[in-house]
Coordinates of all heavy atoms in Angstrom, one line a residue:
M1 N -12.3 1.7 12.8 CA -11.3 2.6 12.8 C -10.0 2.1 12.1 O -9.3 2.8 11.4 CB -11.0 3.1 14.2 CG -10.0 4.2 14.3 SD -10.7 5.7 13.5 CE -9.4 6.8 13.6
N2 N -9.7 0.8 12.4 CA -8.6 0.2 11.7 C -8.7 0.1 10.2 O -7.7 0.3 9.5 CB -8.3 -1.2 12.3 CG -7.8 -1.2 13.7 OD1 -7.2 -0.2 14.1 ND2 -8.0 -2.3 14.4
Y3 N -9.9 -0.1 9.7 CA -10.1 -0.2 8.3 C -9.8 1.2 7.7 O -9.2 1.3 6.6 CB -11.5 -0.6 8.0 CG -11.9 -1.9 8.4 CD1 -12.9 -2.2 9.3 CD2 -11.2 -3.0 7.9 CE1 -13.2 -3.5 9.7 CE2 -11.5 -4.3 8.3 CZ -12.5 -4.5 9.2 OH -12.8 -5.8 9.6
F4 N -10.2 2.3 8.3 CA -9.9 3.6 7.8 C -8.4 3.9 7.8 O -7.9 4.4 6.8 CB -10.6 4.7 8.6 CG -10.3 6.1 8.2 CD1 -10.8 6.5 7.0 CD2 -9.5 6.9 8.9 CE1 -10.5 7.8 6.5 CE2 -9.2 8.2 8.5 CZ -9.7 8.6 7.3
L5 N -7.7 3.4 8.8 CA -6.3 3.6 8.9 C -5.6 2.8 7.8 O -4.6 3.3 7.2 CB -5.8 3.2 10.3 CG -4.3 3.3 10.5 CD1 -3.8 4.7 10.5 CD2 -3.9 2.6 11.8
Y6 N -6.0 1.6 7.6 CA -5.4 0.8 6.5 C -5.6 1.4 5.1 O -4.7 1.4 4.3 CB -5.9 -0.6 6.5 CG -5.6 -1.4 7.8 CD1 -6.4 -2.4 8.2 CD2 -4.5 -1.1 8.5 CE1 -6.2 -3.2 9.3 CE2 -4.2 -1.9 9.6 CZ -5.0 -2.9 10.1 OH -4.7 -3.6 11.2
I7 N -6.8 1.8 4.9 CA -7.1 2.4 3.6 C -6.4 3.7 3.4 O -5.8 4.0 2.3 CB -8.7 2.7 3.4 CG1 -9.4 1.3 3.3 CG2 -9.0 3.5 2.2 CD1 -10.9 1.4 3.3
A8 N -6.3 4.6 4.4 CA -5.6 5.9 4.3 C -4.1 5.7 4.1 O -3.5 6.3 3.3 CB -5.9 6.7 5.5
S9 N -3.5 4.8 4.9 CA -2.1 4.6 4.8 C -1.7 3.9 3.4 O -0.8 4.3 2.8 CB -1.6 3.7 5.9 OG -2.1 2.4 5.9
G10 N -2.5 3.0 3.0 CA -2.3 2.3 1.7 C -2.5 3.3 0.6 O -1.7 3.3 -0.4
L11 N -3.5 4.1 0.6 CA -3.7 5.1 -0.4 C -2.6 6.1 -0.5 O -2.2 6.5 -1.6 CB -5.1 5.7 -0.2 CG -5.6 6.6 -1.3 CD1 -5.7 5.8 -2.6 CD2 -6.9 7.2 -1.0
S12 N -2.2 6.6 0.7 CA -1.1 7.6 0.7 C 0.2 6.9 0.1 O 1.0 7.6 -0.6 CB -0.9 8.1 2.1 OG -0.5 7.1 3.0
L13 N 0.5 5.7 0.5 CA 1.7 5.0 -0.1 C 1.6 4.9 -1.6 O 2.6 5.0 -2.3 CB 1.9 3.7 0.6 CG 2.5 3.7 2.0 CD1 2.5 2.3 2.6 CD2 3.9 4.3 2.0
A14 N 0.4 4.5 -2.1 CA 0.2 4.3 -3.5 C 0.4 5.6 -4.2 O 1.0 5.7 -5.3 CB -1.2 3.7 -3.8
I15 N -0.2 6.7 -3.7 CA -0.1 8.0 -4.3 C 1.4 8.5 -4.3 O 1.9 9.0 -5.3 CB -1.0 9.0 -3.7 CG1 -2.5 8.6 -4.0 CG2 -0.7 10.4 -4.1 CD1 -3.5 9.4 -3.3
C16 N 2.0 8.3 -3.2 CA 3.4 8.7 -3.1 C 4.3 7.9 -4.1 O 5.2 8.5 -4.7 CB 3.9 8.5 -1.7 SG 5.6 8.9 -1.4
Q17 N 4.1 6.6 -4.2 CA 4.9 5.8 -5.1 C 4.6 6.2 -6.6 O 5.5 6.1 -7.4 CB 4.6 4.4 -4.9 CG 5.5 3.5 -5.7 CD 5.3 2.0 -5.4 OE1 4.7 1.7 -4.4 NE2 5.9 1.2 -6.2
T18 N 3.4 6.5 -6.9 CA 3.1 6.8 -8.3 C 3.3 8.2 -8.8 O 3.5 8.5 -10.0 CB 1.7 6.4 -8.7 OG1 0.8 7.1 -7.8 CG2 1.5 4.9 -8.5
T19 N 3.4 9.1 -7.8 CA 3.5 10.5 -8.2 C 4.8 11.2 -7.7 O 5.5 11.9 -8.5 CB 2.4 11.4 -7.7 OG1 2.3 11.3 -6.2 CG2 1.1 10.9 -8.3
I20 N 5.2 10.9 -6.5 CA 6.4 11.6 -6.0 C 7.7 10.9 -6.2 O 8.7 11.5 -6.7 CB 6.2 11.9 -4.4 CG1 5.0 12.8 -4.2 CG2 7.4 12.5 -3.8 CD1 4.6 12.9 -2.8
V21 N 7.8 9.6 -6.0 CA 9.0 8.9 -6.1 C 9.6 8.9 -7.5 O 10.8 9.1 -7.7 CB 8.8 7.4 -5.6 CG1 10.0 6.6 -5.9 CG2 8.5 7.5 -4.1
P22 N 8.8 8.8 -8.6 CA 9.4 8.8 -9.9 C 10.0 10.2 -10.3 O 10.9 10.3 -11.1 CB 8.3 8.5 -10.9 CG 7.3 7.8 -10.1 CD 7.4 8.3 -8.7
R23 N 9.6 11.3 -9.6 CA 10.1 12.6 -9.9 C 11.4 13.0 -9.2 O 12.0 13.9 -9.5 CB 9.0 13.7 -9.5 CG 7.7 13.5 -10.2 CD 7.8 14.0 -11.6 NE 6.5 13.9 -12.3 CZ 6.4 13.7 -13.5 NH1 7.4 13.6 -14.3 NH2 5.2 13.7 -14.0
L24 N 11.8 12.2 -8.2 CA 13.0 12.4 -7.4 C 14.2 12.1 -8.3 O 14.3 11.0 -8.8 CB 13.0 11.6 -6.1 CG 11.9 12.0 -5.1 CD1 11.9 11.1 -3.9 CD2 12.0 13.4 -4.6
P25 N 15.2 13.0 -8.4 CA 16.3 12.7 -9.2 C 17.3 11.6 -8.5 O 18.0 10.9 -9.2 CB 17.0 14.0 -9.4 CG 16.6 14.8 -8.2 CD 15.2 14.3 -7.9
V26 N 17.3 11.6 -7.2 CA 18.2 10.7 -6.5 C 17.7 9.2 -6.6 O 18.5 8.3 -6.7 CB 18.3 11.1 -5.0 CG1 19.2 10.2 -4.3 CG2 18.7 12.5 -4.9
V27 N 16.4 9.0 -6.6 CA 15.9 7.7 -6.6 C 15.7 7.2 -8.1 O 14.7 7.6 -8.7 CB 14.5 7.6 -5.9 CG1 14.0 6.2 -5.8 CG2 14.7 8.2 -4.5
T28 N 16.5 6.3 -8.5 CA 16.4 5.8 -9.9 C 15.6 4.5 -9.9 O 14.7 4.3 -10.7 CB 17.7 5.6 -10.6 OG1 18.5 4.7 -9.8 CG2 18.4 6.9 -10.8
H29 N 15.9 3.6 -9.0 CA 15.2 2.3 -8.9 C 14.8 2.1 -7.4 O 15.7 1.9 -6.6 CB 16.1 1.2 -9.3 CG 16.5 1.2 -10.7 ND1 16.1 2.2 -11.6 CD2 17.3 0.4 -11.4 CE1 16.7 2.0 -12.8 NE2 17.4 0.9 -12.7
S30 N 13.6 2.2 -7.1 CA 13.1 2.0 -5.7 C 12.2 0.8 -5.7 O 11.6 0.4 -6.7 CB 12.4 3.2 -5.2 OG 11.2 3.4 -5.9
F31 N 12.2 0.2 -4.5 CA 11.3 -1.0 -4.4 C 9.9 -0.6 -4.2 O 9.6 0.6 -4.0 CB 11.8 -1.9 -3.2 CG 11.7 -1.2 -1.9 CD1 10.5 -1.5 -1.1 CD2 12.7 -0.4 -1.4 CE1 10.4 -0.9 0.1 CE2 12.5 0.2 -0.1 CZ 11.4 -0.1 0.6
D32 N 9.0 -1.5 -4.2 CA 7.6 -1.2 -4.0 C 7.3 -0.8 -2.6 O 7.6 -1.5 -1.6 CB 6.8 -2.5 -4.3 CG 5.3 -2.3 -4.4 OD1 4.9 -1.1 -4.4 OD2 4.6 -3.3 -4.3
L33 N 6.8 0.4 -2.4 CA 6.5 0.9 -1.1 C 5.4 0.2 -0.4 O 5.4 0.1 0.9 CB 6.2 2.4 -1.1 CG 7.3 3.3 -1.6 CD1 6.8 4.7 -1.7 CD2 8.5 3.3 -0.7
L34 N 4.5 -0.5 -1.1 CA 3.4 -1.2 -0.5 C 3.8 -2.6 0.0 O 3.1 -3.2 0.8 CB 2.3 -1.3 -1.4 CG 1.5 0.0 -1.7 CD1 0.5 -0.2 -2.8 CD2 0.8 0.4 -0.4
L35 N 5.0 -3.1 -0.4 CA 5.4 -4.4 0.0 C 5.6 -4.5 1.5 O 5.1 -5.5 2.1 CB 6.7 -4.8 -0.8 CG 7.2 -6.2 -0.6 CD1 6.1 -7.2 -1.1 CD2 8.5 -6.4 -1.3
P36 N 6.3 -3.6 2.2 CA 6.4 -3.7 3.7 C 5.1 -3.6 4.4 O 4.8 -4.2 5.4 CB 7.4 -2.6 4.1 CG 8.1 -2.2 2.9 CD 7.2 -2.6 1.7
W37 N 4.2 -2.8 3.8 CA 2.9 -2.6 4.4 C 2.1 -3.9 4.3 O 1.4 -4.2 5.2 CB 2.2 -1.4 3.6 CG 0.8 -1.1 4.1 CD1 0.5 -0.3 5.2 CD2 -0.4 -1.5 3.5 NE1 -0.8 -0.2 5.3 CE2 -1.4 -0.9 4.3 CE3 -0.8 -2.2 2.4 CZ2 -2.8 -1.1 4.0 CZ3 -2.1 -2.4 2.2 CH2 -3.1 -1.9 2.9
V38 N 2.1 -4.5 3.1 CA 1.4 -5.8 2.9 C 1.9 -6.9 3.9 O 1.2 -7.6 4.5 CB 1.4 -6.2 1.5 CG1 0.9 -7.6 1.3 CG2 0.5 -5.3 0.6
I39 N 3.2 -6.9 4.0 CA 3.9 -7.9 4.9 C 3.5 -7.7 6.3 O 3.1 -8.6 7.1 CB 5.4 -7.9 4.7 CG1 5.7 -8.5 3.3 CG2 6.1 -8.8 5.8 CD1 7.2 -8.4 2.9
Y40 N 3.4 -6.4 6.7 CA 3.0 -6.1 8.1 C 1.6 -6.5 8.3 O 1.2 -7.1 9.4 CB 3.2 -4.6 8.4 CG 2.5 -4.1 9.6 CD1 3.1 -4.4 10.8 CD2 1.3 -3.4 9.6 CE1 2.5 -4.0 12.0 CE2 0.7 -3.0 10.7 CZ 1.3 -3.3 12.0 OH 0.7 -2.9 13.1
I41 N 0.7 -6.1 7.4 CA -0.7 -6.4 7.6 C -0.9 -7.9 7.6 O -1.7 -8.5 8.4 CB -1.5 -5.8 6.4 CG1 -1.5 -4.3 6.5 CG2 -3.0 -6.2 6.5 CD1 -2.1 -3.6 7.7
A42 N -0.2 -8.7 6.7 CA -0.4 -10.1 6.7 C 0.2 -10.8 7.9 O -0.4 -11.8 8.3 CB 0.3 -10.7 5.4
A43 N 1.2 -10.2 8.5 CA 1.8 -10.9 9.7 C 1.0 -10.6 11.0 O 1.0 -11.5 11.8 CB 3.2 -10.3 9.8
F44 N 0.4 -9.5 11.1 CA -0.2 -9.1 12.4 C -1.7 -9.0 12.4 O -2.3 -8.7 13.4 CB 0.4 -7.8 12.9 CG 1.8 -7.9 13.2 CD1 2.7 -7.2 12.4 CD2 2.3 -8.6 14.3 CE1 4.1 -7.3 12.6 CE2 3.6 -8.6 14.6 CZ 4.5 -8.0 13.7
R45 N -2.4 -9.3 11.3 CA -3.8 -9.2 11.2 C -4.4 -10.5 10.7 O -3.7 -11.3 10.0 CB -4.3 -8.1 10.3 CG -3.8 -6.7 10.6 CD -4.1 -6.3 12.1 NE -5.5 -6.3 12.4 CZ -6.0 -6.1 13.6 NH1 -5.2 -5.9 14.6 NH2 -7.2 -6.1 13.8
P46 N -5.6 -10.9 11.1 CA -6.2 -12.1 10.6 C -6.5 -12.0 9.1 O -6.6 -11.0 8.5 CB -7.6 -12.2 11.3 CG -7.6 -11.1 12.3 CD -6.5 -10.2 12.1
V47 N -6.6 -13.2 8.5 CA -6.8 -13.3 7.0 C -8.0 -12.6 6.5 O -8.0 -12.0 5.5 CB -6.8 -14.8 6.6 CG1 -7.1 -14.9 5.1 CG2 -5.4 -15.4 6.9
H48 N -9.1 -12.7 7.3 CA -10.4 -12.1 6.8 C -10.3 -10.6 6.8 O -11.1 -9.9 6.2 CB -11.6 -12.6 7.6 CG -11.6 -12.1 9.1 ND1 -10.9 -12.8 10.1 CD2 -12.2 -11.1 9.6 CE1 -11.1 -12.2 11.2 NE2 -11.9 -11.1 11.0
E49 N -9.4 -10.0 7.6 CA -9.2 -8.5 7.5 C -8.1 -8.2 6.5 O -8.2 -7.1 5.9 CB -8.7 -8.0 8.9 CG -9.8 -8.0 9.9 CD -9.3 -7.5 11.2 OE1 -8.2 -6.9 11.3 OE2 -10.0 -7.6 12.2
T50 N -7.2 -9.0 6.3 CA -6.0 -8.7 5.4 C -6.4 -8.9 3.9 O -6.0 -8.0 3.1 CB -4.9 -9.7 5.7 OG1 -4.5 -9.6 7.1 CG2 -3.7 -9.4 4.8
L51 N -7.1 -9.9 3.5 CA -7.3 -10.2 2.1 C -8.0 -9.1 1.4 O -7.6 -8.7 0.3 CB -8.0 -11.5 2.0 CG -8.1 -12.1 0.6 CD1 -6.7 -12.4 0.1 CD2 -8.9 -13.4 0.7
P52 N -9.1 -8.5 1.9 CA -9.8 -7.4 1.1 C -8.9 -6.2 0.9 O -8.9 -5.6 -0.2 CB -11.0 -7.0 2.0 CG -11.2 -8.2 2.9 CD -9.9 -8.8 3.1
F53 N -8.0 -5.8 1.9 CA -7.2 -4.7 1.7 C -6.1 -5.0 0.7 O -5.7 -4.1 -0.1 CB -6.6 -4.3 3.1 CG -7.6 -3.7 4.0 CD1 -8.0 -4.3 5.1 CD2 -8.2 -2.5 3.7 CE1 -8.9 -3.8 5.9 CE2 -9.1 -1.9 4.5 CZ -9.5 -2.6 5.6
V54 N -5.5 -6.2 0.8 CA -4.4 -6.5 -0.2 C -5.0 -6.5 -1.6 O -4.3 -6.0 -2.5 CB -3.8 -7.8 0.2 CG1 -2.8 -8.3 -0.9 CG2 -3.1 -7.7 1.5
L55 N -6.1 -7.1 -1.8 CA -6.7 -7.1 -3.1 C -7.1 -5.7 -3.6 O -6.9 -5.4 -4.8 CB -8.0 -8.0 -3.1 CG -7.7 -9.5 -3.0 CD1 -9.0 -10.3 -2.9 CD2 -6.8 -10.0 -4.1
F56 N -7.7 -4.9 -2.7 CA -8.0 -3.5 -3.1 C -6.8 -2.7 -3.4 O -6.8 -2.0 -4.4 CB -8.7 -2.9 -1.9 CG -9.0 -1.4 -2.1 CD1 -9.9 -1.0 -3.0 CD2 -8.3 -0.5 -1.4 CE1 -10.1 0.4 -3.2 CE2 -8.5 0.9 -1.6 CZ -9.4 1.3 -2.5
M57 N -5.7 -2.9 -2.7 CA -4.5 -2.1 -3.0 C -3.8 -2.6 -4.3 O -3.2 -1.8 -5.0 CB -3.5 -2.2 -1.8 CG -4.0 -1.4 -0.6 SD -4.6 0.2 -0.9 CE -3.2 1.0 -1.5
G58 N -3.9 -3.9 -4.5 CA -3.4 -4.4 -5.8 C -4.1 -3.9 -7.0 O -3.5 -3.5 -8.0
V59 N -5.4 -3.8 -6.9 CA -6.2 -3.3 -8.0 C -6.0 -1.8 -8.2 O -5.8 -1.2 -9.3 CB -7.7 -3.5 -7.8 CG1 -8.6 -2.7 -8.8 CG2 -8.0 -5.0 -7.9
L60 N -5.8 -1.1 -7.0 CA -5.6 0.3 -7.1 C -4.2 0.6 -7.7 O -4.1 1.5 -8.5 CB -5.6 0.9 -5.7 CG -5.4 2.4 -5.5 CD1 -6.5 3.2 -6.1 CD2 -5.1 2.8 -4.1
M61 N -3.2 -0.1 -7.3 CA -1.8 0.1 -7.8 C -1.8 -0.2 -9.3 O -1.1 0.4 -10.1 CB -0.8 -0.7 -7.1 CG -0.4 -0.1 -5.8 SD 0.3 1.6 -5.9 CE 1.8 1.3 -6.8
D62 N -2.5 -1.2 -9.7 CA -2.5 -1.6 -11.1 C -3.2 -0.5 -12.0 O -2.7 -0.2 -13.0 CB -3.3 -2.9 -11.3 CG -3.2 -3.4 -12.7 OD1 -2.1 -3.4 -13.3 OD2 -4.3 -3.9 -13.2
S63 N -4.3 0.1 -11.4 CA -4.9 1.1 -12.2 C -4.2 2.4 -12.2 O -4.2 3.2 -13.1 CB -6.4 1.3 -11.7 OG -6.3 1.8 -10.4
L64 N -3.5 2.7 -11.1 CA -2.8 4.0 -11.0 C -1.5 4.0 -11.8 O -1.1 4.9 -12.5 CB -2.5 4.3 -9.5 CG -3.6 4.9 -8.7 CD1 -3.1 5.1 -7.3 CD2 -4.1 6.2 -9.3
S65 N -0.7 2.9 -11.7 CA 0.6 2.9 -12.2 C 0.6 2.3 -13.6 O 1.6 2.4 -14.3 CB 1.6 2.1 -11.3 OG 1.2 0.7 -11.3
G66 N -0.4 1.6 -14.0 CA -0.4 0.9 -15.3 C 0.5 -0.3 -15.4 O 0.8 -0.8 -16.5
G67 N 0.9 -0.8 -14.2 CA 1.8 -2.0 -14.2 C 1.0 -3.2 -14.0 O 1.3 -4.3 -14.0

């Protein structure tokens, strides 16, 4: 169940950052929304659970945002 929660929350943050945040007129420069999520996961979960999610989210953000 935790894996599904991590994937769902990371995917929603990635979609929000690549589609919604750039369209807001108030937000010109925002920080990476996944950064607090990755820090939280790394701080409170073991490495064997954290590493696959961080790598997956990195690849996903790279392919979605082109960065």
